[in-house]
Amino acid sequence: MREAPIGVFDSGVGGLSVLAEIQRLLPDESLLYVADCGNIPYGEKTPEFIRHRCSVMAGFFQQQGAKALVLACNTATVAGVADLRRDYPEWPIVGMEPAVKPAAAATRSGVVGVLATTGTLQSAKFAALLDRFAADVRVLTQPCPGLVELIENGDLHSPALRQLLARYVEPLLGAGCDTIILGCTHYPFLKPLLKQMIPEDISLIDTGAAVARQLQRLLAERELLAEGPARAAQFWTSSDPEHFRNILPILWNTAGVVQSFKG
Ligand code: DGL
């Protein structure tokens, strides 16, 4: 069981930013990754639809014999993690949500910005997160339609992307934010561009590394940490495998075998 793989999924390539953190912290683990590119963007879908996709993904990873599941997607987590934990009570399941708590602790100006999908920002889970951790700070939320689609095409710095990003980030800076939460797993890929666009003293916070640490804790508690060596990561996409294959070397450290996901 220790050597069983870990299943990781997202609506697309965004979760690769989380997969990289998992691989960095847990290099002995074998990783399986599904990109549900045929249904992207989750951010504009209903919670019911996303819950259904979460359950399809969980069923697939169960069949693959995965010892743990990671929802490398904020939007899928707010919609679906509670149902998955109910349906698979024995399975270590790690979800993710925007880093409101660390951002509220870090801000000096008392103003925090959140870049995330419409689905995440509209969810009850996000509202609860604000109530719980952000009572003493001002939180400005910014949905970012269009960003995910550009990143899915491997675009991390075109003029069109820069223009769209500026439209989302400038109002936050204008309102005095000194801390910006990257609340969608696609956005960490934009950090190099964002750093060129914002003053040096603005912090960008995402939760990929924290997810990897939480996964490590859950596996250690259950004596499920692999001893290695890891098998090469395997990838599936519910859209065009050729497209995913071409994009993989841009967003992941190496080329990889990509299969078609039918589910
Ligand atoms: N990567 C996903 C997230 O973390 C969402 C992207 C989408 O809208 O599909 O929220």
Side-chain angles (χ1 to χ4, degrees), residues 6-10 15 18-19 22 31-34 61 68-70 72:
I6 295 165
V8 182
F9 80 91
D10 178 40
V18 181
L19 199 71
I22 296 173
L31 304 172
L32 310 180
Y33 184 88
V34 177
F61 286 124
L69 176 67
V70 178

Side-chain angles (χ1 to χ4, degrees), residues 35-252:
D36 197 9
C37 301
N39 292 296
I40 203 159
Y42 278 4
E44 307 297 320
K45 302 284 190 306
T46 64
E48 293 69 32
F49 178 85
I50 298 170
R51 277 196 278 280
H52 170 66
R53 295 310 296 164
C54 286
S55 107
V56 169
M57 296 295 154
F60 173 74
F61 286 124
Q62 283 272 318
Q63 270 171 17
Q64 296 288 322
K67 65 181 175 185
L69 176 67
V70 178
L71 283 71
C73 176
N74 295 263
T75 317
T77 300
V78 296
V81 76
D83 283 13
L84 291 180
R85 291 198 173 119
R86 182 200 61 210
D87 296 345
Y88 300 95
E90 303 303 327
W91 215 16
I93 297 178
V94 182
M96 59 195 303
E97 41 194 30
V100 172
K101 187 180 174 190
T107 180
R108 297 166 313 278
S109 69
V111 190
V112 168
V114 189
L115 302 177
T117 67
T118 309
T120 296
L121 297 175
Q122 284 178 349
S123 67
K125 212 164 159 40
F126 180 70
L129 205 57
L130 293 186
D131 281 350
R132 180 143 177 237
F133 297 117
D136 300 329
V137 297
R138 193 166 156 232
V139 178
L140 303 175
T141 57
Q142 177 63 64
C144 305
L147 279 189
V148 159
E149 289 85 341
L150 291 171
I151 299 165
E152 284 292 313
N153 283 323
D155 177 0
L156 303 182
H157 38 63
S158 73
L161 174 68
R162 181 184 272 268
Q163 210 176 14
L164 190 60
L165 199 53
R167 211 166 80 209
Y168 294 144
V169 171
E170 275 164 13
L172 302 180
L173 299 179
C177 289
D178 66 351
T179 307
I180 298 179
I181 299 171
L182 305 179
C184 165
T185 53
H186 283 72
Y187 306 163
F189 291 119
L190 300 181
K191 266 192 199 168
L193 177 62
L194 265 168
K195 283 190 177 150
Q196 291 169 19
M197 295 169 60
I198 61 177
E200 248 174 45
D201 57 346
I202 307 284
S203 319
L204 299 173
I205 303 194
D206 69 87
T207 34
V211 165
R213 288 193 300 273
Q214 173 66 359
L215 176 64
Q216 183 183 43
R217 266 192 297 274
L218 292 185
L219 293 176
E221 261 170 39
R222 293 163 167 82
E223 301 189 349
L224 282 176
L225 282 168
E227 277 153 10
R231 296 177 292 283
Q234 282 180 267
F235 300 91
W236 286 261
T237 172
S238 57
S239 182
D240 177 17
E242 193 52 40
H243 176 74
F244 197 87
R245 232 167 263 139
N246 292 335
I247 230 144
L248 207 47
I250 304 174
L251 302 177
W252 181 244

